[in-house]
Amino acid sequence: MTAVVLLGAGGTGAWIYYDLNNNIKSADVDDKLGGDRPVNLSPGSKNIMIVGSDTREGANAKYGKDLTTMQSDTLMVLHIPADRKWASVVSFPRDSWVEIPGCQKGDGSSSSPHHFKINEAFAIGGSTGKVAEAAACTIKTVESNTGLRIDHFMTVDFSGFKGMVDALDGIEVCPKQAIHDEKAHLDLEAGCQTVKGEKALGYVRTRYSVGDGSDIGRIGRQQEFMDALAKKAKSKLHSPDAMYGFLKSITKSLTTDPDIAGIQPLYGLADELKGIPSDRLAFLTVPNYGRVADQPTDKANVVWQYPQAADLFTSLAKDKEVTKAQLDASKKNVVYASSVRVRVLNGTGVSGRAAAVAEKLRKAGYSVVGTGNAPGGTVARTTVTYPAGLDAQAAVLASRLPGLRATADGSAAAGAVTLVVGPELKVENVA
């Protein structure tokens, strides 16, 4: 976005405009997303999915071992509100344990729904190297797990990132401790220094050899780096050589949906953003905690923290601003899914519905303490009720079910939250 604003502001010649415009590739995903998609609850707002990707081909081959599919190292959603007065960038930890829906592959086959790391979606769709399938599977995964309607997407690969940094003569970083990471091909001493090329790429990719070794720490470094990159680009506005190299690198590495695949539509989009004050641009990370709290054998992944994650997605879907301070404050009281004891009752009259929902909840980490039929056999709608003292646990469960709120019930069974499954609740929409 910064790049195309600078392109317009710099009075770039027509030949450079067409040269850069022709670099941008497009991939149509509309026929791969299916019809069961979230509705845009705020006409005029936009959600743009941004993927930092790498194909492991050519110059990228040395990153990762024995990887034959396209890979996604960074996943974000940029929310642009209808009034264009603020914006949010939401980062999704690549190790987020979510349900990956069934997706089309480049060879014509389809994958089956299953739980895994969120970044696997890009690899499944891109198993044959086609960006359209990779982007489509990632969009389906984000939409099904957040309820946000994705309007556009962009992917930027590793080589383009290095070119952008090099064209600006590097970016200053200030690590507090020395970093030596073989996987990221990085050796940095502590203290402020300018990095470019392989070191710049290594800095935003490093994970295991700095801080707590988590993807959460890496997200923070990436957000800081991109902020510094944007500021450095602005400072080079009057340097034609630097700006041309910067813009050429990003456009050559950029693939988007057809609607924004070109300098003109990107500039129009960026023009809408450039008036947003810096203090109204929020960099957010989906609230999460280590999955080990729910599954003791899994020390590698994270799960999203509820109801905080659901509240974030709902706010953005309804075009309501969320600040980093608000999100950080809400994350303090963690209720693990494994601490939520759930009794699942079937109120649909359809045999096996309670068992199917209970199994979905178990896979999401909840403690299912029993199943059965609802008193009276059938109900009009799904309900979540709880006895005194379990309001926080009930709120966590209700936030995982579309359109539900938990209600207190003095007659509810003690020690557990009761979920009565109604006819409108689809098993695939649970957790």
Side-chain angles (χ1 to χ4, degrees):
M1 294 301 183
T2 298
V4 291
V5 167
L6 294 171
L7 176 66
T12 307
W15 73 271
I16 294 180
Y17 174 94
Y18 287 112
D19 176 44
L20 297 175
N21 192 70
N22 290 334
N23 286 338
I24 301 172
K25 300 174 286 293
S26 71
D28 193 350
V29 300
D30 285 349
D31 62 341
K32 301 172 180 62
L33 298 177
D36 187 18
R37 301 183 62 195
V39 175
N40 186 340
L41 299 179
S42 177
S45 67
K46 296 176 183 177
N47 291 311
I48 302 173
M49 186 184 78
I50 304 168
V51 179
S53 71
D54 114 68
T55 63
R56 305 303 200 225
E57 294 180 351
N60 293 334
K62 59 186 171 184
Y63 302 111
K65 183 179 180 182
D66 301 325
L67 296 173
T68 58
T69 64
M70 302 175 74
Q71 302 294 311
S72 165
D73 266 25
T74 304
L75 175 61
M76 300 177 285
V77 170
L78 166 64
H79 178 81
I80 305 172
D83 65 10
R84 307 303 194 254
K85 292 182 178 180
W86 56 275
S88 296
V89 179
V90 181
S91 293
F92 295 79
R94 59 178 289 179
D95 296 334
S96 296
W97 191 262
V98 300
E99 184 170 52
I100 311 291
C103 294
Q104 293 183 27
K105 298 181 180 180
D107 61 4
S109 64
S110 297
S111 64
S112 299
H114 63 285
H115 282 80
F116 207 74
K117 302 173 190 280
I118 196 170
N119 70 323
E120 190 201 34
F122 199 82
I124 290 174
S127 58
T128 59
K130 295 181 180 180
V131 176
E133 279 78 4
C137 191
T138 307
I139 289 171
K140 289 181 67 174
T141 300
V142 170
E143 289 189 342
S144 65
N145 284 278
T146 68
L148 294 171
R149 172 86 175 210
I150 301 300
D151 302 293
H152 303 289
F153 80 87
M154 302 177 181
T155 67
V156 182
D157 70 22
F158 279 179
S159 60
F161 176 83
K162 289 188 294 183
M164 285 187 283
V165 174
D166 288 351
L168 300 177
D169 295 324
I171 301 296
E172 185 180 59
V173 298
C174 300
K176 295 180 180 180
Q177 64 185 77
I179 305 174
H180 303 290
D181 188 337
E182 291 184 6
K183 291 185 177 181
H185 304 280
L186 180 66
D187 285 293
L188 282 183
E189 298 305 318
C192 294
Q193 57 205 284
T194 298
V195 296
K196 59 171 60 176
E198 297 294 334
K199 282 193 174 182
L201 181 57
Y203 182 78
V204 297
R205 293 186 68 244
T206 188
R207 171 179 178 179
Y208 299 104
S209 301
V210 62
D212 61 2
S214 72
D215 195 45
I216 311 305
R218 172 163 60 178
I219 285 174
R221 288 189 296 276
Q222 290 174 344
Q223 291 176 342
E224 291 173 1
F225 194 96
M226 294 309 293
D227 184 54
L229 182 74
K231 291 176 180 176
K232 186 72 174 284
K234 290 179 181 179
S235 74
K236 294 282 187 176
L237 180 60
H238 300 296
S239 172
D241 288 343
M243 288 314 305
Y244 179 67
F246 178 77
L247 294 165
K248 186 173 183 178
S249 293
I250 191 170
T251 53
K252 287 185 70 173
S253 67
L254 189 65
T255 301
T256 76
D257 60 275
D259 289 343
I260 57 173
I263 294 296
Q264 186 172 348
L266 284 176
Y267 182 77
L269 191 60
D271 193 49
E272 298 176 8
L273 291 175
K274 66 182 182 181
I276 296 174
S278 59
D279 62 351
R280 299 289 297 278
L281 173 60
F283 286 91
L284 310 172
T285 300
V286 178
N288 62 85
Y289 60 84
R291 189 170 179 253
V292 65
D294 295 333
Q295 299 290 343
T297 59
D298 186 356
K299 299 180 180 180
N301 301 302
V302 300
V303 292
W304 294 347
Q305 181 184 346
Y306 287 87
Q308 291 83 352
D311 291 342
L312 170 62
F313 302 142
T314 299
S315 292
L316 295 180
K318 294 182 177 180
D319 217 17
K320 295 181 179 179
E321 185 174 8
V322 178
T323 67
K324 189 175 187 301
Q326 289 171 335
L327 189 62
D328 288 346
S330 73
K331 294 188 299 184
K332 293 180 180 178
N333 299 317
V334 181
V335 177
Y336 301 129
S338 56
S339 71
V340 181
R341 293 164 53 84
V342 186
R343 188 168 64 116
V344 184
L345 302 181
N346 187 357
T348 68
V350 179
S351 179
R353 185 63 59 84
V357 170
E359 181 59 24
K360 289 274 290 192
L361 292 175
R362 288 191 187 96
K363 288 182 178 179
Y366 291 88
S367 300
V368 178
V369 297
T371 60
N373 292 319
T378 61
V379 297
R381 292 191 62 81
T382 302
T383 59
V384 174
T385 57
Y386 61 93
L390 294 184
D391 52 325
Q393 289 82 353
V396 170
L397 177 64
S399 71
R400 304 297 299 269
L401 306 169
L404 281 183
R405 286 187 178 276
T407 57
D409 185 351
S411 64
V417 178
T418 299
L419 168 63
V420 179
V421 180
E424 89 291 355
L425 181 62
K426 298 179 180 179
V427 175
E428 57 268 27
N429 291 337
V430 176

